[in-house]
């Protein structure tokens, strides 16, 4: 477990997600990498944003791809689950929505890697990869995580940025087929590094198959509060906001050889000082 990489999911759960301040908080917790989601505005500016709309996590409204950067730049971030994350919600309205360039620079300054989870394909994807390629060429730690084999193949053919297949959600035949395809690509393109699988899809069989194929395996998303923690790891406190034994939950995966853990509260993984 000493070699397991810890990624802060959208930064940490202690600040509104996908903000520079959330990234910095994750760095202070001791993470190796920070996973941040990206989409583009109507004017083509890549910004840190998970949802397709601005309503849930910002002071704005509407689809982000229908808003200009001029509009988005004036917005402030808000906590998506304020009833569970009161500490984070106390920062609502204080932090700006960052661009990809800002996050690349802030990650480098905080000495953490930036794992970019791309939420859309097309021209926005190309803009993001162009910026990541420039960062990679400058020696910055960056990874591009794509949702489909097709995205990976296109990115691998046009860029030398390290690549991951993200969001494996089902441990089924299709996933095994995708692993086989990734292995074929790995033989030809060194930049495809591995997969990230949702915790309930990361079965022992899937982990073993991916590891045998030479792929790095990341598992997401670990959350310490009862609202998301499997029942066997709950404490005696009945509140959904209460924290259970997330470290034991994480250990059940690292004992199987998982290479990295993606967590909302990385300081509760049991893997950081």
């Amino acid at each position: 477990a000493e070699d397991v990489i810890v990624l802060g999911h959208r930064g940490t759960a202690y600040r509104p997600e996908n903000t520079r301040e959330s990234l910095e908080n994750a760095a202070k917790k001791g993470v190796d990498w920070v996973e941040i989601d990206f989409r583009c505005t109507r004017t083509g500016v890549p910004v840190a944003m998970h949802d397709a709309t601005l309503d849930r996590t910002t002071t704005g409204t509407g689809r982000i791809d229908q808003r200009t950067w001029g509009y988005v730049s004036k917005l402030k971030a808000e906590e998506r689950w304020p009833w569970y994350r009161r500490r984070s919600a106390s920062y609502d309205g204080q932090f700006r929505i960052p661009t990809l360039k800002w996050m690349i620079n802030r990650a480098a300054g905080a000495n953490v890697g930036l794992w970019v989870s791309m939420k859309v394909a097309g021209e926005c994807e190309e803009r993001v990869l162009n910026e990541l390629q420039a960062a990679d060429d400058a020696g910055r730690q960056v990874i591009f995580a794509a949702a489909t084999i097709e995205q990976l193949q296109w990115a691998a053919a046009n860029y030398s940025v390290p690549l991951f297949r993200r969001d494996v959600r089902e441990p089924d035949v299709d996933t095994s087929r995708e692993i086989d395809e990734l292995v074929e690509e790995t033989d030809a393109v060194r930049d495809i590094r591995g997969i990230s699988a949702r915790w309930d899809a990361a079965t022992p069989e899937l982990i073993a198959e991916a590891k045998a194929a030479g792929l790095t395996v990341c598992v997401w998303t670990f959350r310490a509060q009862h609202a998301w923690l499997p029942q066997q790891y709950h404490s005696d406190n009945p509140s959904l906001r209460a924290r259970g034994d997330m470290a034991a939950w994480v250990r059940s995966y690292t004992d199987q050889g998982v290479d990295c853990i993606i967590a909302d509260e990385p300081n509760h993984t049991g893997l950081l000082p």
Side-chain angles (χ1 to χ4, degrees):
E2 293 179 358
D3 298 326
V4 176
I5 294 171
V6 179
L7 281 81
H9 184 234
R10 304 175 195 164
T12 68
Y14 305 109
R15 301 290 187 276
E17 67 182 43
N18 288 327
T19 59
R20 289 177 291 180
E21 291 76 10
S22 188
L23 180 151
E24 289 175 341
N25 188 258
K28 290 177 181 177
K29 302 293 184 189
V31 303
D32 306 286
W33 289 75
V34 175
E35 182 267 353
I36 302 291
D37 305 296
F38 283 91
R39 294 179 179 272
C40 283
T41 65
R42 179 166 62 84
T43 45
V45 178
V47 296
M49 184 69 53
H50 176 275
D51 292 3
T53 62
L54 297 160
D55 303 68
R56 183 161 62 156
T57 59
T58 81
T59 53
T61 61
R63 289 186 59 88
I64 189 168
D65 59 6
Q66 296 175 0
R67 297 293 192 182
T68 66
W69 168 240
Y71 176 85
V72 175
S73 68
K74 296 179 176 64
L75 304 180
K76 297 298 176 66
E78 293 185 337
E79 170 55 46
R80 72 167 51 221
W81 289 318
W83 51 93
Y84 290 126
R85 297 174 174 170
R86 294 174 176 175
R87 185 189 307 182
S88 176
S90 70
Y91 293 95
D92 279 2
Q94 297 185 32
F95 307 143
R96 296 179 65 186
I97 311 302
T99 66
L100 173 59
K101 186 171 294 184
W102 292 352
M103 292 299 260
I104 289 172
N105 291 334
R106 192 56 61 95
N111 198 32
V112 295
L114 182 64
W115 170 298
V116 170
S117 287
M118 194 69 219
K119 294 303 180 184
V120 292
E123 185 177 349
C124 180
E125 181 180 40
E126 186 174 354
R127 289 176 182 268
V128 167
L129 275 162
N130 285 338
E131 290 197 32
L132 290 181
Q133 186 65 70
D136 185 61
D137 291 343
R140 304 285 180 84
Q141 287 186 298
V142 293
I143 282 176
F144 181 82
T148 66
I149 294 291
E150 290 73 23
Q151 282 181 295
L152 284 174
Q153 290 171 334
W154 177 81
N158 293 281
Y159 299 89
S160 60
V161 177
L163 306 172
F164 257 74
R165 161 71 165 93
R166 69 168 178 84
D167 287 4
V168 174
R169 295 173 181 267
E170 299 294 339
D172 54 16
V173 174
D174 288 339
T175 300
S176 294
R177 176 185 56 78
E178 286 194 357
I179 288 176
D180 290 340
E181 290 186 34
L182 277 172
V183 172
E184 292 176 5
E185 289 299 318
T186 302
D187 289 340
V189 185
R190 61 175 176 80
D191 296 305
I192 297 180
R193 307 294 173 83
I195 64 171
S196 66
R198 192 169 65 183
W199 64 270
D200 52 351
T203 62
E205 294 76 18
L206 178 71
I207 294 169
E209 182 178 359
K211 295 282 288 183
L215 298 171
T216 296
V217 179
C218 294
V219 179
W220 58 276
T221 299
F222 291 90
R223 296 180 169 117
Q225 294 172 314
H226 289 178
W228 301 283
L229 198 69
Q231 183 68 39
Q232 64 266 38
Y233 302 110
H234 284 201
S235 68
D236 294 333
N237 188 331
S239 171
L240 290 177
R241 288 193 295 269
R243 292 189 180 94
D245 191 358
M246 188 172 80
W249 186 26
V250 167
R251 194 160 54 247
S252 70
Y253 289 89
T254 58
D255 285 348
Q256 299 177 63
V258 164
D259 302 287
C260 74
I261 297 297
I262 303 175
D264 279 5
E265 297 172 303
N267 51 310
H268 287 276
T269 60
L271 298 173
L272 300 178

